[in-house]
Amino acid sequence: MSTVTVTVTTPPEQRAAELEARIRQAPDRFRVMTGDRPTGPLHLGHYFGTLHNRVRLQDLGVDVFVIIADYQVLTDRDLADRLGEYMEGMLLDYLAVGIDPARATVFNHSAVPALNQLMLPFLSLVSVAELNRNPTVKDEIAHSRQSAVSGLMFTYPVHQAADILFCKGNLVPVGQDQLPHLEVTRTVARRFNERYGVVFPEPDALLSAAPLLLGTDGTKMSKSRGNSIALGATADETARLIRGAKTDAERHITYEPEARPGVSSLVLLAALCLDRDPHAVAEEIGGGGAAALKRTVTDAVNGRMAPIRARRAEYAQDMAYVRSVLRAGNERANEIAEATLDEVRGVMGGVL
């Protein structure tokens, strides 16, 4: 009689809950790897989607690495426009929201050669067919600004694997749409360990429950679409952008994300800023219409962002310090990357 083995996979949501419990019990056992591409100013979607969570994990005692992915700017565009400006703005935003250089490492791709060198052995561990099947890559290619798909775009998930594994990151906060990328990283780590010897952890996905905020035009809030509210925006700029946000013709305000996406996104933004339930915020506005909704959102956003803007302005007065944060982060990242690369060379017989 044959025996059939059934593998039960824990749903990502359940796994995330289990990880949260473990993080609280032993935060020092985790190293988080996360980051952003410097393609434009960070906005409210980033704040509520990822930045706030990074600070939370940092404050719990997790070792947090934040990469400014300057090389990856070229994955879906031909030029890295205004790169220096966007990188410095990103540093200001990180510091303003509470990323602490004493407890987190902020660095950039191009300053850590050993990290990028890991791409060579990692590329040998995945097939073209596997990369071609990645749904996240397909979506990114569909929205690419390039006339033809570059090799860098195609191998983007492998570059992300190098980002995560160079520091032996074992926890990666991601949205549902990024799970295929992380699965590539897990595959790379597993195959490397099987072929050469155990070096890398297979990182877990900390599934983000981040809310989806729409831009002022009713589509996904994005740096490249000109529909976002930047963290560095002034109170007046914020008010102007919210006044122009898309709503609908129905006067009574309700929170119905499927039926009324524009109105509901504004309600959600106010609720997030006020730490309240969006249904309660909508009910309070009631028949006040879009004008009352936008006043509520403007007051809520400006109230929540005021201390962040103040800290950002203060840091902007000392750019020498801001740049020193990146230099220090690059030094630490380089030390770790070189140590990892030496370990890789050792198990691979000095190939690299």
Side-chain angles (χ1 to χ4, degrees):
M1 182 176 180
S2 61
T3 302
V4 177
T5 302
V6 178
T7 301
V8 179
T9 303
T10 304
E13 295 82 359
Q14 181 182 334
R15 181 63 177 157
E18 293 170 355
L19 284 168
E20 285 286 356
R22 288 172 51 201
I23 290 167
R24 293 183 180 280
Q25 290 171 357
D28 58 324
R29 296 181 63 181
F30 293 91
R31 175 170 282 176
V32 161
M33 179 65 212
T34 184
D36 306 281
R37 293 195 307 158
T39 55
L42 296 180
H43 51 66
L44 291 176
H46 294 115
Y47 177 73
F48 288 110
T50 60
L51 299 177
H52 190 262
N53 193 41
R54 293 174 196 174
V55 175
R56 180 185 72 88
L57 291 167
Q58 164 198 278
D59 292 348
L60 285 173
V62 174
D63 190 11
V64 176
F65 277 67
V66 182
I67 186 170
I68 298 177
D70 51 349
Y71 275 170
Q72 289 176 358
V73 170
L74 297 173
T75 55
D76 62 351
R77 58 198 72 205
D78 297 322
L79 297 172
D81 294 332
R82 301 167 67 183
L83 186 60
E85 173 192 338
Y86 290 150
M87 284 180 62
E88 291 194 346
M90 197 166 278
L91 280 166
L92 286 171
D93 289 335
Y94 287 161
L95 294 170
V97 301
I99 296 292
D100 181 358
R103 295 179 291 165
T105 303
V106 181
F107 68 102
N108 63 296
H109 259 153
S110 57
V112 189
L115 180 163
N116 297 289
Q117 197 167 343
L118 288 173
M119 272 194 76
L120 292 175
F122 287 0
L123 282 168
S124 74
L125 298 169
V126 293
S127 69
V128 171
E130 286 173 320
L131 293 175
N132 204 31
R133 285 196 300 268
N134 188 306
T136 308
V137 170
K138 288 182 178 179
D139 182 66
E140 287 165 350
I141 287 172
H143 292 89
S144 172
R145 293 185 178 186
Q146 294 175 315
S147 56
V149 178
S150 71
L152 187 59
M153 166 66 87
F154 197 63
T155 58
Y156 187 27
V158 182
H159 204 173
Q160 285 197 326
D163 295 343
I164 296 164
L165 296 177
F166 95 94
C167 65
K168 301 187 179 179
N170 58 3
L171 191 64
V172 185
V174 292
Q176 192 80 34
D177 62 332
Q178 290 291 311
L179 286 175
H181 273 355
L182 187 61
E183 195 52 45
V184 172
T185 300
R186 290 174 58 82
T187 298
V188 166
R190 182 171 60 255
R191 290 177 181 171
F192 185 96
N193 294 341
E194 290 170 350
R195 184 175 298 183
Y196 300 111
V198 178
V199 173
F200 300 109
E202 291 184 37
D204 277 306
L206 184 62
L207 194 62
S208 170
L212 175 63
L213 288 174
L214 299 181
T216 53
D217 61 354
T219 66
K220 181 181 176 182
M221 191 176 288
S222 168
K223 286 178 289 190
S224 61
R225 295 181 185 180
N227 65 354
S228 60
I229 301 171
L231 297 183
T234 66
D236 287 344
E237 288 169 341
T238 298
R240 176 180 57 79
L241 290 166
I242 292 172
R243 280 197 302 272
K246 184 177 180 179
T247 55
D248 58 34
E250 189 175 336
R251 182 170 180 80
H252 193 84
I253 301 302
T254 58
Y255 182 65
E256 300 173 85
E258 294 296 326
R260 307 181 69 187
V263 166
S264 296
S265 183
L266 286 172
V267 170
L268 177 59
L269 177 54
L272 289 167
C273 289
L274 297 168
D275 292 318
R276 295 183 60 192
D277 178 80
H279 294 281
V281 172
E283 186 176 351
E284 192 171 282
I285 298 169
L293 170 61
K294 291 178 179 181
R295 283 195 301 270
T296 298
V297 176
T298 299
D299 291 344
V301 171
N302 282 334
R304 181 67 176 256
M305 291 294 111
I308 293 174
R309 289 176 184 145
R311 286 194 296 270
R312 194 182 195 280
E314 186 176 346
Y315 282 119
Q317 296 300 310
D318 190 359
M319 290 305 297
Y321 168 73
V322 172
R323 295 180 187 114
S324 75
V325 168
L326 187 61
R327 282 198 303 273
N330 286 340
E331 287 176 10
R332 185 181 183 217
N334 268 296
E335 289 174 4
I336 292 171
E338 288 288 354
T340 300
L341 188 59
D342 284 346
E343 195 174 354
V344 166
R345 286 183 179 125
V347 298
M348 291 182 68
V351 172
L352 292 178

